[in-house]
Amino acid sequence: MDARILVVEDDRRIAAAIRRALAYEGYEVTVVHDGPSGLREARRGVDLILLDLMLPGLDGIEVCRRIRRAGDRLPILMLTARDAVPDRVEGLDAGADDYLVKPFAYEELLARVRSLLRRAAGDESESGEVLRYADLVMDVPAMEAFRGSRRLDMTTLEFRVLEFFLRNPRIVLSRSQILAGVWGLDVETTSNVVDVYVRYLRQKLEADGEDRLIHTVRGAGYVLREG
């Protein structure tokens, strides 16, 4: 593995432990301990960022927002001890791709890192594959999606969630099925993430007043269907 990972963590003990775990797996790791340094290193080019929420100088939310405003779609995994739903939603709203609450098992951290890197590289897509439903068109390997003639501007995980719906149209999907299909994560620790990403997708799919395509099935989950 030659992926370059930036760790932005002000707790030097935790940062050192994360560095060791990642380096042991073969990743090239850079560690910084404050927000401005993290932003500067991110602009130099990395493949993934592990970003602590509470940082001196600039907090993780602001670092994430500035990276996204600059148009950079590199995967961002946010790390924090704050596990309330509003805190997690704030991180995802800022543009983070995933959220891991401290203390965490390093096996889970590594699994999420591998998953985000695979998706960013498009390793799980078939060459030349195009998915269609209603007026949605998705070019999977190019990571482009359109509603009618309008291009959808999505993060990597938004793209993968929509791809999962497109591969399972008219099927009611539970939150646990979506989590397993997109994140491969434990439903008990991340179930709210599905609701957050469905909200993101609806905002983008309906930005020009189009009809809803992702519907809530109360008590069951979500379904991609017309009408």
Side-chain angles (χ1 to χ4, degrees), residues 72-93:
D72 198 328
R73 293 182 170 274
L74 67 92
I76 298 175
L77 174 56
M78 194 160 279
L79 310 175
T80 182
R82 292 162 52 181
D83 63 350
V85 170
D87 295 324
R88 283 180 277 180
V89 170
E90 184 183 22
L92 294 167
D93 278 338

Side-chain angles (χ1 to χ4, degrees), residues 123-161:
D123 288 347
E124 296 172 355
S125 299
E126 296 179 19
S127 177
E129 186 176 18
V130 176
L131 304 176
R132 293 182 173 86
Y133 183 77
D135 60 348
L136 278 176
V137 178
M138 173 178 283
D139 184 332
V140 178
M143 291 194 67
E144 290 186 334
F146 298 84
R147 179 147 198 195
S149 61
R150 179 168 62 86
R151 187 180 187 277
L152 302 175
D153 184 18
M154 296 184 293
T155 66
T156 299
L157 272 175
E158 288 168 354
F159 184 91
R160 296 307 179 196
V161 175

Side-chain angles (χ1 to χ4, degrees), residues 10-21:
D10 65 331
D11 186 316
R12 293 175 184 267
R13 179 184 58 83
I14 293 175
I18 292 174
R19 180 203 284 271
R20 286 194 298 270

Side-chain angles (χ1 to χ4, degrees), residues 4-9 32 34-53 55 58-78 91-97 153-156:
R4 299 161 298 167
I5 297 178
L6 171 63
V7 178
V8 189
E9 167 63 67
V32 296
D34 61 79
S37 298
L39 194 58
R40 182 175 61 251
E41 291 297 327
R43 289 169 176 165
R44 290 177 177 172
V46 295
D47 297 304
L48 182 145
I49 300 179
L50 303 184
L51 181 62
D52 188 31
L53 183 60
L55 293 167
L58 288 173
D59 66 20
I61 296 293
E62 185 58 26
V63 171
C64 189
R65 285 186 181 132
R66 294 190 186 190
I67 290 171
R68 294 303 187 225
R69 281 201 297 264
D72 198 328
R73 293 182 170 274
L74 67 92
I76 298 175
L77 174 56
M78 194 160 279
L92 294 167
D93 278 338
D97 294 288
D153 184 18
M154 296 184 293
T155 66
T156 299

Side-chain angles (χ1 to χ4, degrees), residues 23-42:
Y24 184 80
E25 295 296 314
Y27 297 111
E28 179 184 333
V29 186
T30 298
V31 176
V32 296
H33 304 291
D34 61 79
S37 298
L39 194 58
R40 182 175 61 251
E41 291 297 327

Side-chain angles (χ1 to χ4, degrees), residues 151-188:
R151 187 180 187 277
L152 302 175
D153 184 18
M154 296 184 293
T155 66
T156 299
L157 272 175
E158 288 168 354
F159 184 91
R160 296 307 179 196
V161 175
L162 183 58
E163 179 187 354
F164 191 71
F165 277 111
L166 281 166
R167 292 188 184 280
N168 298 278
R170 299 179 297 278
I171 298 172
V172 177
L173 301 169
S174 68
R175 289 170 178 81
S176 61
Q177 286 175 311
I178 298 169
L179 281 165
V182 177
W183 283 270
L185 301 177
D186 188 325
V187 66
E188 293 184 357

